[in-house]
Structures are given as C-alpha cells and as structure tokens.
C-alpha cells in the first residue's frame, strides 16, 4: 500500500526523537554557580572541612543551595553569582593557604537524569565565560639545556671511545672540546660526527680545539621541539583542571594560546599552568669544602644550593639526569623505615643515561635538586621575558647500586610533601619555563548576554520560518514545523551527548543556518507534491512521487554541505571547529526529520486513505 510505514519504522522515529528530547532536557536546568574547595600541599578536604565551610556560611548568613563532599573536594552551589563571589572570599579567609578555593559551575541536572548520563551541553569561552592566556616560552633556557646535554653527551662518547681531552665547555650556540693532541682531535671529531652529523664542525690544530655548533636548521628544530613539548605538557595540566573543550595551540615562534571555557578562577588556572617544577640529579662535590663556597669561594665546575632547612650543599655542575625523562611518579612509605619516598619511573633514554651516570659513583652521595622557574616581569634586550630559578636540594642519598629506569628518592619531610612532589612530577616538567604575557577574562555575565542574544537569533529565525510554512503550506506546513522543532531538539541532545562537542557563538549561527536548510528540504518535497497533483495524479501517488523525486536533490545538496563542514572541522580551530560540528550534526538531523520524520507524520495522517484534496 502506498504511503504506509511499517510499525518498526514509525517506532524508530518516535524512539529517536524521545531519546533526543531526554538528553536535551539537562540544558533546561542549566548550571549553578559553585565554589570548589580542594586541599593543597598534601592537605585533603574531608568531612571536617565540609562542616567548617557550612558553619562559616551559616554564621555569615550566606544562602547556599547545597554543600557536599565528592572525590576529595567540597562543592558548594549557589543560586546567583553574587552569593558565589561573597562565599569564596569568606571561605578563602577561613581556610587559609592550605586549601584552594576556586569558582566553578556545576550542572543543576536532577539526579534521576544525571544517572542516565544526561549532562548539559558544553559552552565555549564566548558563551560560558572563561579565561584566555597568551604564554611565552623561554627559548633561551631551552637552548641552554640543549647545550648542557651536548656537553654531557660529548664527555660520555669521548670517554667510551677512550679519547683523551682536556675539557668540554659551552661556546656560543654550540660546544668547544679541547683535546690533548692532534690524533685525539682527529679521532674525537670522527666519533662525534657519527652522532651529530647535522651539526657544524670546525677544528683548529693550533690550539687542539673542536667547535661544534648548531646549524640554522638545527636551531629551528630545537626551538620547535621545545614549543611542541610544552604544548603537550600544558594540555596534560589543562586536563587536571577538568575543563571541557579547552583550546591549547601555538601562536608564532614562541607563544602558546590557552583558552579555558567555564573557568572563573584565573588565579588557580595560572598556578597550575605556570608551575614549572622539575628535578635534576647531581653528584655532591666531596673534593672541596662547602663552607669555602658559602664564603664566596665556589670552585669551578661546582655550584652551591641550599636545603629547605638552610643547610648548604656543594654540588657538581654536571647534570646526571633531568626531569623530562620522568614518565611516572608515585609517593609511598619505605617499608623498613616508614619514611616517605617518591618512586620514579624513567623513559628508556633516561634509564640508560642514569644507569651510565651511577655505575661509576657507587658509594658516593647524590643530590636531588628541585627547580622551579618563575617570570620576573622584566624583559631582556630582545623583548623576551626574564626568568628566575628557585633551586632547593630535597634529598642527599648514597648510591647503593647502579640505578636504572625505576628508583626512589627520599628526604621529604612528610607523606604530604612526597605526595605533592609526585603530583608535580607526574604532571610533566616543562622543557622550558613559560610566562603569561596576556590575559583576558570573559565574565559569566557577558557570556550569558551572548547566550541570550544567540537564543534570540535562533528563536526569531525559527518563528519566522514557522509562520511562513504555516501560511504557505497549511497543514503540511504544520508538519514541517514539527519536524523543525524535532530537529532543534535532536541537535541539542546530540551535542550534549558528544564529549568533545562545544557550543560557541559561531555554533549558534550554525544552528540558525541548519533551520533554514531543514525547511528547504521540506519546501522541495512539498513543491514536488504540488506539481504531481497539478499533473493530475492521485493524492497518494503525488505524495509518493513527491518524496521519491525530491530525495536525490536533498541528499546531494546536504552531502556537499557536509563535505564542506568536515573540511572546516579538519583545518579550522576554536570557534570555526565549533561551527563545523554544529553544522554537521544539524545536516544529519535535518535530513532525518525533514525526510523520514515528516514522511512518518504524512503517512500516519493521510497514507493509504482515499482523499481527493490535500491541504498543501
């Protein structure tokens, strides 16, 4: 029979629209402003913290909606932003520096809906508010580290090849090696060229020196590596913030752009993103007196560092291992001494380096140095930022055996301190220090205004289309309007379900565009039906031919637009990508609602019936 859907097909349409409506529903409830409290420096938020926060808010008569302890964090929700801001000040003052008190947003989705996986659609920086950082990478430090690594590698290779040399030191943008005779100079150059073939070698037999410098291509490659590694590590740190759809991308030769939608506490974000903590391992200099160094007579090849309690340590400058080789770090207690310790895992290269460095130093003390870099706010002559380094010896231990890829360090005062150090190391050590050179905050009120204006655009576009379709196509126009509404619900439902999908202002433009495209398909179908009726065919034949004839045209038009949207998604970034995602979802849902959805309604109302006239 013409124009009759099988039962399963009708049920499929109903179920898909019902599921779309269910998962679009959390957006009706939106998000509540909240204050998130978590412990720092090893302190953990617990029930006592929750009671303290509640008591403080009650005593100040600050109204809050709920307060709960979840995943080691206290979350307090409020009905408005003013109460949220006031509560943050109160709680921060009460808890002090041992706790991090951050502004946040939490979904107001009912529990029954949340248990089904319902969450509100994620909003971009322009709609939810958030922060934008432009960060500068300290390339000078990155280049210095490469040179330091070259010095260490040169020494190791020459020693392994049993080639005698007087010294290896940094020089310009390379390294200078002084040999003992011309034979060693020639042999040393051959050995080093095997590993550093893409470097520039200049030998001088008069003073028995060999200068190895980086070519322009190598310099560019080194800077590129430092920038890309820092971007990767910043992405890891952003994940710790729990930000949905963050943007982390390079800008130019030494800058990184970071956008964090929904983050209102810029101080917390800056603290996590900017922390440049790493470890270095050095042998303790036992050949010289540490107190001579304290009095200003630091021997060449050594440097003076202090422990946390102020005790001086004289260490050899040669770095045995850097923190970037650390791939895992956990804290625990020593089973024999019950002292806190940090268990460290290295990558293959780090394990090999550390094994070679420790095999000849068994029985000697080795120091672990904690290093943190911070921008001073001043600038160098080339316009780049100046950085300072805070160094501190966190442990001095005697090497008992040759160390490999896994080892442990001790010397932390408490389990909490060991836990913190493990966290910092696990987050990743930046290849080079970074500093925030530009900061912009999009407030939640501005984001709300953008949402309101975007919604107005969608609703006005929607209303005008509804009016036109009802006037021009009458009952069929009403069916098209129902399909249009279902299309909007499905877009919102699918966007809410996809973890990486974020609605931005351009994304709302994509929805408006989709509204037009969805109704365009129905216009094509309805005009075909009119043509068939005018050609003298029966109503049932006209409906059947109308849908069949228009399908290929609608399919071709939507597929070409979908290809364009996929290209936009592949090459675009940020808002452009958000627009492409919304448009792609809208194209698929509009084809479903305008072809299958309206056909189901038309079939249910007029399909298989003897009708002489259609309201179209």
């Amino acid at each position: 029979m013409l124009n009759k859907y099988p039962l399963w097909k009708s049920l499929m349409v109903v179920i898909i629209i019902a599921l779309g409506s269910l998962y679009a529903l959390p957006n009706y409830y939106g998000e509540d402003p909240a204050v998130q409290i978590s412990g720092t420096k090893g302190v953990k938020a617990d029930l006592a913290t929750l009671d303290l926060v509640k008591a403080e808010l009650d005593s100040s008569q600050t109204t809050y909606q709920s307060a709960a302890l979840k995943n080691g964090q206290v979350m307090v929700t409020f009905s408005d932003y003013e109460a949220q801001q006031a509560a943050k000040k109160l709680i921060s003052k009460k808890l002090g520096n041992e706790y991090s008190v951050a502004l946040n947003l939490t979904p107001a989705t009912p529990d029954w809906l949340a248990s089904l996986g319902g969450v509100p659609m994620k909003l971009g920086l322009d709609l939810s508010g958030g922060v934008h950082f432009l960060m500068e990478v300290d390339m000078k430090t990155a280049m210095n580290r490469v040179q330091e690594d070259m010095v260490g590698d040169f020494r190791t290779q020459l020693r392994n090849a049993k080639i005698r040399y007087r010294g290896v030191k940094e020089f310009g943008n390379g390294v200078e090696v002084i040999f003992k005779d011309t034979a060693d100079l020639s042999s040393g150059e051959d050995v080093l060229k095997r590993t550093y073939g893409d470097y520039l070698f200049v030998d001088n037999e008069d003073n028995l020196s060999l200068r190895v410098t980086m070519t322009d291509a190598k310099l560019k490659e080194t800077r590129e590596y430092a920038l890309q590694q820092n971007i990767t590590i910043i992405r890891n740190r952003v994940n710790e913030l729990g930000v949905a759809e963050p943007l982390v991308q390079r800008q130019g030769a030494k800058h990184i752009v970071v956008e964090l939608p929904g983050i209102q506490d810029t101080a917390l974000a800056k603290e996590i993103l900017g922390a440049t903590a790493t470890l270095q391992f050095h042998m303790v200099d036992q050949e010289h007196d540490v107190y001579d160094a304290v009095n200003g007579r630091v021997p060449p090849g050594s440097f003076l560092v202090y422990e946390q309690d102020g005790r001086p340590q004289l260490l050899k400058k040669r770095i045995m291992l850097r923190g970037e080789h650390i791939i895992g770090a956990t804290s625990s207690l020593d089973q024999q001494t019950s002292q806190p310790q940090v268990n460290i895992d290295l990558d293959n290269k780090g394990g090999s380096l550390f094994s070679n460095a420790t095999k000849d130093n068994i029985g000697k003390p080795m120091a672990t140095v904690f290093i943190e870099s911070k921008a001073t706010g001043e600038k160098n002559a080339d316009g780049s930022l100046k950085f300072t380094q805070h160094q501190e010896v966190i442990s001095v231990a005697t090497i008992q055996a040759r160390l490999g890829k896994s080892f442990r360090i001790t010397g932390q005062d408490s389990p909490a301190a060991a836990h913190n150090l493990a966290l910092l190391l696990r987050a990743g050590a930046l290849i080079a220090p970074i500093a925030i050179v530009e900061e912009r905050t999009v407030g939640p009120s501005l984001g709300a205004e953008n949402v309101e204006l975007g919604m107005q655009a969608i609703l006005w576009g929607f209303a005008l289309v509804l009016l036109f379709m009802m006037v021009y196509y009458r009952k069929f126009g009403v069916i098209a309007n129902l399909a249009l509404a279902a299309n909007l619900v499905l877009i919102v439902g699918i966007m809410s379900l996809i973890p990486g999908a974020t609605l931005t202002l351009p994304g709302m433009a994509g929805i408006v565009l989709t509204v037009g495209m969805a109704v365009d398909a129905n216009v094509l179908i309805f005009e075909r039906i009119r043509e068939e009726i005018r050609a003298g065919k029966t109503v049932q034949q006209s409906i059947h031919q109308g849908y069949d004839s228009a399908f290929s045209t609608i399919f071709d038009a939507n597929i070409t637009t979908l290809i364009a949207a996929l290209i936009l998604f592949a090459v675009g970034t940020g808002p452009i990508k958000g627009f492409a995602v919304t448009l792609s979802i809208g194209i698929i849902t509009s084809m479903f609602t305008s072809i299958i959805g309206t056909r189901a309604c038309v079939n249910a109302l007029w399909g298989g019936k003897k009708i002489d006239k259609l309201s179209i």
Side-chain angles (χ1 to χ4, degrees):
M1 185 180 290
L2 276 179
N3 304 321
K4 273 294 181 184
Y5 262 177
L7 181 61
W8 69 265
K9 209 166 184 178
S10 300
L11 285 175
M12 179 192 73
V13 173
V14 172
I15 290 171
I16 288 176
I17 294 175
L19 283 174
S21 304
L22 179 70
Y23 285 101
L25 195 56
N27 296 281
Y28 170 77
Y29 297 100
E31 293 178 319
D32 287 332
V35 170
Q36 178 182 304
I37 302 135
S38 51
T40 60
K41 300 176 182 176
V43 177
K44 192 175 179 182
D46 52 18
L47 288 173
T49 314
L50 176 63
D51 293 338
L52 195 64
V53 170
K54 281 182 176 178
E56 183 65 17
L57 293 175
D58 290 339
S59 65
S60 62
Q61 297 185 331
T62 303
T63 306
Y64 59 95
Q65 289 184 329
S66 66
L69 178 69
K70 191 175 181 182
N71 298 328
Q73 294 179 330
V74 174
M75 186 72 80
V76 189
T77 60
F78 302 87
S79 56
D80 55 69
Y81 290 108
E82 287 75 17
Q84 179 200 33
Q85 296 280 350
K88 180 185 181 287
K89 290 180 184 173
L90 280 171
I91 297 170
S92 298
K93 188 177 178 183
K94 182 68 179 177
L95 297 181
N97 295 329
E98 291 186 336
Y99 292 87
S100 167
V101 182
L103 300 178
N104 211 331
L105 294 171
T106 183
T109 310
D111 292 341
W112 68 270
L113 194 49
S115 66
L116 296 173
V119 289
M121 190 166 38
K122 297 163 191 69
L123 302 179
L125 190 71
D126 48 0
L127 298 182
S128 66
V131 289
H132 164 103
F133 292 125
L134 179 64
M135 314 180 95
E136 181 177 316
V137 180
D138 182 9
M139 286 298 175
K140 189 179 177 184
T141 301
M143 301 307 297
N144 287 343
R145 288 186 177 179
V146 172
Q147 281 183 284
E148 289 171 5
D149 286 345
M150 285 173 66
V151 170
D153 286 350
F154 280 20
R155 284 179 176 144
T156 302
Q157 290 199 28
L158 294 173
R159 197 163 45 243
N160 291 342
K162 298 182 179 176
I163 296 172
R164 297 173 303 163
Y165 62 91
R166 294 183 189 279
V168 183
K169 64 179 180 181
E170 296 170 25
F171 161 78
N173 64 355
V175 170
E176 184 181 54
V177 188
I178 308 294
F179 291 91
K180 291 198 170 181
D181 53 42
T182 52
D184 287 330
L185 170 63
S186 175
S187 304
E189 186 171 353
D190 290 341
V191 167
L192 295 176
K193 273 185 176 176
R194 288 176 206 153
T195 309
Y196 294 88
D198 50 352
Y199 283 60
L200 192 61
F201 285 74
V202 178
D203 56 26
N204 187 335
E205 293 189 356
D206 294 337
N207 59 8
L208 300 176
S209 69
L210 175 66
R211 289 182 171 180
V212 185
T213 53
M214 285 186 262
T215 58
D216 289 342
K218 191 66 187 175
L219 283 169
K220 185 180 176 184
E221 181 189 327
T222 305
R223 293 190 183 107
E224 190 75 16
Y225 175 77
L227 191 65
Q228 290 300 334
Q229 284 297 103
N230 271 14
I231 288 174
T232 303
I233 292 163
I234 287 174
R235 281 206 180 102
N236 292 339
R237 293 184 175 186
V238 167
N239 290 337
E240 286 189 8
L241 288 169
V243 182
E245 197 64 15
L247 171 71
V248 182
Q249 66 181 33
R250 67 176 296 170
Q251 179 174 304
K254 59 180 180 181
H255 291 103
I256 300 170
V257 172
V258 180
E259 288 188 353
L260 307 174
I263 290 289
Q264 300 174 53
D265 197 325
T266 55
L268 177 67
K270 285 161 75 174
E271 185 181 331
I272 292 178
L273 293 176
T276 314
T278 187
L279 289 183
Q280 285 183 359
F281 297 88
H282 297 260
M283 294 305 299
V284 175
D285 186 348
Q286 296 178 294
E287 299 162 8
H288 301 91
D289 189 350
V290 66
Y291 293 103
D292 287 343
V294 172
N295 293 321
R297 296 187 291 278
V298 180
S302 300
F303 68 109
L304 190 66
V305 191
Y306 290 86
E307 295 186 31
Q308 195 172 28
D309 60 5
R311 279 186 297 172
Q313 290 288 347
L314 187 62
L315 308 181
K316 293 188 176 178
K317 277 186 179 175
R318 185 185 169 194
I319 301 167
M320 302 170 70
L321 186 76
R322 289 186 191 283
E324 54 258 36
H325 295 294
I326 296 173
I327 57 173
T330 57
S331 62
S332 63
L333 293 176
D334 188 302
Q335 291 184 347
Q336 294 180 341
T337 63
S338 298
Q339 292 297 309
Q341 63 184 24
V342 178
N343 309 299
I344 294 177
D345 295 318
L346 304 176
D347 58 16
N348 287 332
K349 185 179 178 183
S352 176
L353 284 172
F354 210 40
S355 176
N356 288 331
T358 54
K359 71 176 181 181
D360 298 327
N361 292 299
I362 294 172
K364 297 178 182 176
M366 178 184 72
T368 308
V369 183
F370 176 80
I371 302 171
E372 193 168 19
S373 298
K374 288 183 180 176
T376 60
E378 300 174 3
K379 293 198 172 183
N380 295 308
D382 61 356
S384 59
L385 283 173
K386 284 185 180 176
F387 288 79
T388 58
Q389 278 195 347
H390 168 71
Q391 297 184 339
E392 183 179 292
V393 174
I394 58 173
S395 78
V396 177
T398 303
I399 300 172
Q400 302 292 347
R402 186 175 182 176
L403 301 175
K405 288 176 65 177
S406 298
F407 62 98
R408 63 188 182 186
I409 58 173
T410 56
Q412 297 299 298
D413 293 335
S414 63
H419 176 72
N420 263 1
L421 178 60
L423 273 180
L424 276 171
L425 296 175
R426 208 163 47 230
L430 294 171
I431 298 298
I434 55 172
I436 296 169
V437 294
E438 181 186 305
E439 176 186 335
R440 286 204 314 269
T441 304
V442 181
S445 55
L446 182 59
E449 189 181 337
N450 287 339
V451 172
E452 188 183 342
L453 292 174
M455 286 303 297
Q456 279 187 22
I458 292 174
L459 291 176
W460 274 108
F462 191 65
L464 290 173
V465 170
L466 289 185
L467 185 64
F468 171 80
M469 294 299 287
M470 284 181 67
V471 170
Y472 200 70
Y473 293 108
R474 289 173 283 181
K475 288 183 181 177
F476 270 70
V478 173
I479 291 173
N481 290 340
L482 289 174
L484 207 54
N487 182 38
L488 278 178
V489 169
L490 284 177
I491 291 174
V492 174
I494 292 173
M495 290 278 288
S496 303
L497 274 176
I498 298 176
T502 302
L503 183 66
T504 59
L505 211 51
M508 293 184 103
I511 292 178
V512 176
L513 181 60
T514 305
V515 168
M517 291 182 65
V519 82
D520 185 50
N522 284 124
V523 168
L524 275 172
I525 294 169
F526 297 163
E527 287 300 323
R528 287 286 181 141
I529 293 174
R530 279 179 169 178
E531 285 174 9
E532 298 296 333
I533 291 173
R534 281 197 292 268
K537 293 185 179 175
T538 65
V539 167
Q540 298 300 334
Q541 285 176 331
S542 299
I543 293 173
H544 182 75
Q545 290 294 331
Y547 272 96
D548 277 3
S549 305
F551 177 77
S552 60
T553 308
I554 297 168
F555 184 79
D556 290 347
N558 281 282
I559 285 298
T560 50
T561 312
L562 185 61
I563 291 171
L566 292 174
I567 293 171
L568 275 179
F569 180 80
V571 302
T573 56
I576 302 295
K577 197 167 263 191
F579 173 79
V581 170
T582 313
L583 185 60
S584 303
I585 294 172
I587 289 168
I588 296 167
T589 55
S590 69
M591 284 186 69
F592 172 78
T593 54
S594 60
I595 298 174
I596 301 175
T598 58
R599 185 74 187 267
C601 291
V602 169
N603 286 357
L605 290 172
W606 296 290
K609 296 178 182 174
K610 190 174 180 182
I611 303 168
D612 297 328
K613 192 175 178 183
L614 268 183
S615 176
I616 184 170

